[in-house]
Amino acid sequence: MATILEALTLALDLHLAGRFGEAQELYTRILDVEPEQPDALHYLGVLAGQIDRGEFGLTLIGKALALRPEAADIHANRANLLRGLDRLDEAEDSYRRALALRPDFAEAWTDRAFARHGRGDPAAIDATATMLERALRIEPALDPAREKLVDLLHARGRLRLESGQVTPALSDLIRAAALDQQDADIAFLLGNALFAAGLRADSVIAFRNALALVPDFLSAALNLGIALAATNHAAAALAPLRHAVRIDPAHPAPRDTLALALRSLGHAEEADALLMPAPPLQPVKPAPKPAPPFRRPRRRS
């Protein structure tokens, strides 16, 4: 016969695999044998929250905490259940308790950050970012914390840049780009922030990164050309500007910018040709009807 520990291990494996019904049955059987088994109470409480029985889950986790009041993971999961029930003040108290017991609890810092961000007050973004940074210092490979922080910094960096807060935007976008080097939009916004801050040579690098990630990124190609021209590399600017024109031949900004660059290099004729209106489309003549197929006449008998 399986021991309580073996049954609990199997129940947890089923739970983590998403086989909630089987896990719930096994947790219940364990509690039938040992009603005050704290792990079974705890995990069954978590499962209850996952199947929209949060209040029942809180009851079970409350019993587990009565047996193990110093268990940081139980306090953290109680906080998660309270957050799911939109009882945010109580959730915050439980997160604080969990982190007081275990300050290096990266997952609890992350969950607390998610709860804080959900409040939506003006200070929430700053507090959320601070908590996520704390989680990543403890566990740099913690993907939920990294992904949430990237999204937050990306959005805040864009808003700050659009409102003229260049230095704070730079701080956000530099950190976001360090956390996610495969996001072309972050690289592009970083290029814009660097250019606005007067760091033109650095902006060239950022725009090149954005264009390498998304080769048909029109704005990145255009801004790369502008940044190269601004750093006294007018000849080098021609390639990305021509690329921008190829991406969208009908867009006036790449054509106009390329024409200016060509004129600055003494290529006035090419610039004029670039800005000449395209010839009107000629109606297409219908193709002649094909001749009927030749068939050899059949011989009359």
Side-chain angles (χ1 to χ4, degrees):
M1 182 176 178
T3 66
I4 291 291
L5 180 58
E6 289 169 338
L8 189 62
T9 301
L10 177 57
L12 186 56
D13 287 342
L14 292 167
H15 188 169
L16 294 174
R19 295 163 65 178
F20 291 168
E22 296 167 82
Q24 183 177 5
E25 182 181 352
L26 194 46
Y27 287 138
T28 303
R29 285 165 57 190
I30 293 168
L31 290 170
D32 287 341
V33 174
E34 190 176 327
E36 293 193 341
Q37 213 296 322
D39 292 317
L41 288 166
H42 174 199
Y43 298 141
L44 185 57
V46 171
L47 192 153
Q50 291 173 304
I51 59 173
D52 296 325
R53 297 187 64 196
E55 293 290 353
F56 178 56
L58 283 176
T59 299
L60 294 169
I61 284 185
K63 291 179 179 179
L65 277 174
L67 296 164
R68 285 188 184 163
E70 302 304 306
D73 58 335
I74 302 179
H75 283 284
N77 280 324
R78 180 176 185 272
N80 290 337
L81 283 178
L82 289 163
R83 177 161 63 101
L85 294 168
D86 205 28
R87 292 160 60 177
L88 298 181
D89 289 336
E90 294 171 81
E92 175 66 15
D93 288 342
S94 286
Y95 284 128
R96 287 182 185 278
R97 178 63 175 154
L99 290 165
L101 290 165
R102 186 176 152 195
D104 64 346
F105 196 167
E107 290 86 351
W109 281 112
T110 302
D111 291 337
R112 184 183 174 194
F114 280 31
R116 187 70 180 87
H117 191 241
R119 287 176 176 262
D121 57 83
I125 293 178
D126 292 343
T128 301
T130 299
M131 292 175 195
L132 292 171
E133 291 284 14
R134 178 77 175 264
L136 288 172
R137 282 197 297 273
I138 297 164
E139 192 173 330
L142 188 59
D143 285 341
R146 181 182 57 79
E147 290 165 6
K148 183 67 174 179
L149 183 57
V150 167
D151 289 345
L152 187 153
L153 294 173
H154 186 179
R156 188 173 69 179
R158 181 192 297 279
L159 288 173
R160 283 175 163 176
L161 187 59
E162 289 172 352
S163 62
Q165 301 175 63
V166 175
T167 301
L170 255 181
S171 176
D172 284 342
L173 294 168
I174 288 171
R175 179 61 174 146
L179 290 167
D180 187 351
Q181 298 178 19
Q182 300 303 310
D183 191 307
D185 192 58
I186 292 174
F188 171 71
L189 289 172
L190 176 57
N192 288 343
L194 289 163
F195 191 92
L199 302 170
R200 307 293 169 79
D202 292 324
S203 76
V204 167
I205 297 170
F207 290 133
R208 285 194 194 280
N209 289 341
L211 200 56
L213 290 165
V214 180
D216 62 349
F217 196 159
L218 174 63
S219 297
L222 175 60
N223 286 9
L224 174 57
I226 292 170
L228 284 165
T231 54
N232 299 317
H233 293 90
L238 296 181
L241 292 174
R242 286 189 170 117
H243 181 54
V245 172
R246 285 194 297 272
I247 293 169
D248 187 354
H251 199 298
R255 289 201 321 272
D256 293 347
T257 307
L258 177 57
L260 286 172
L262 287 166
R263 280 203 175 86
S264 73
L265 293 168
H267 304 311
E269 288 186 13
E270 189 178 350
D272 291 341
L274 187 70
L275 297 177
M276 285 178 61
L281 293 174
Q282 298 297 324
V284 178
K285 294 181 181 179
K289 292 182 179 179
F294 175 77
R295 292 184 177 88
R296 187 182 297 277
R298 287 187 292 176
R299 218 181 221 178
R300 290 187 182 179
S301 54

